[in-house]
Amino acid sequence: MPSVGITFATVKISNLLRPDLGSVERRFLIDTGAIYSVVPTSDLEALGIARLKHQVFTLADGTHQEYDIGEAFFELGEDRATSLVVFAPEGVISLVGALTLESLGLMVNPVTRELLPMRLFLAAMHPPQSNARPTHA
């Protein structure tokens, strides 16, 4: 019987600026309710991921906690992209959040919970209109 409402995927993360440090491959929970991806601090430090900023998060119990945020390179199957990632305490389940899914161009089918390519839209692009008035001789 399949797990209802839970999606896991094998994801590889690395540091785009330091490929010489290798990569980490883990089983990640796909969490469309989370904005950022979450990875244990030890993995991010081993990859040399820089801490870019601090962010305050509200935890499930209502308390507030500040965590560092960095940027990692994610590979999920053939899809690859950089995305923001939270430096999480040890023991936390690694998860892929909505921002990373969108960066990868992926979505979760709400019925089957499978990962699918996102249907991407782009507004029609027209060349800019010139406001210059024609000159008459």
Side-chain angles (χ1 to χ4, degrees):
M1 183 179 254
S3 299
V4 177
I6 298 176
T7 303
F8 285 93
T10 300
V11 178
K12 187 188 307 186
I13 61 167
S14 60
N15 183 340
L16 199 57
L17 301 175
R18 292 289 312 271
D20 57 305
L21 294 177
S23 62
V24 173
E25 188 172 274
R26 299 267 185 268
R27 187 169 180 217
F28 280 67
L29 172 67
I30 307 300
D31 186 352
T32 58
I35 301 298
Y36 296 128
S37 292
V38 175
V39 175
T41 295
S42 59
D43 286 347
L44 298 175
E45 287 177 344
L47 296 170
I49 303 290
R51 288 171 163 82
L52 302 175
K53 63 180 179 175
H54 304 290
Q55 195 82 32
V56 176
F57 293 85
T58 302
L59 305 180
D61 65 2
T63 61
H64 302 286
Q65 181 67 47
E66 187 172 324
Y67 293 104
D68 291 327
I69 306 291
E71 187 169 14
F73 185 65
F74 288 80
E75 297 180 59
L76 201 165
E78 298 297 316
D79 299 300
R80 294 168 172 78
T82 60
S83 187
L84 296 177
V85 62
V86 175
F87 283 75
E90 296 308 309
V92 168
I93 295 174
S94 297
L95 65 87
V96 171
L99 187 61
T100 304
L101 279 178
E102 287 184 5
S103 294
L104 292 165
L106 296 172
M107 60 177 265
V108 176
N109 180 310
V111 176
T112 66
R113 303 300 300 169
E114 67 182 315
L115 288 170
L116 299 171
M118 186 181 293
R119 186 170 178 194
L120 303 173
F121 294 94
L122 184 62
M125 297 179 65
H126 301 285
Q129 298 286 331
S130 173
N131 290 335
R133 294 183 176 182
T135 55
H136 294 37

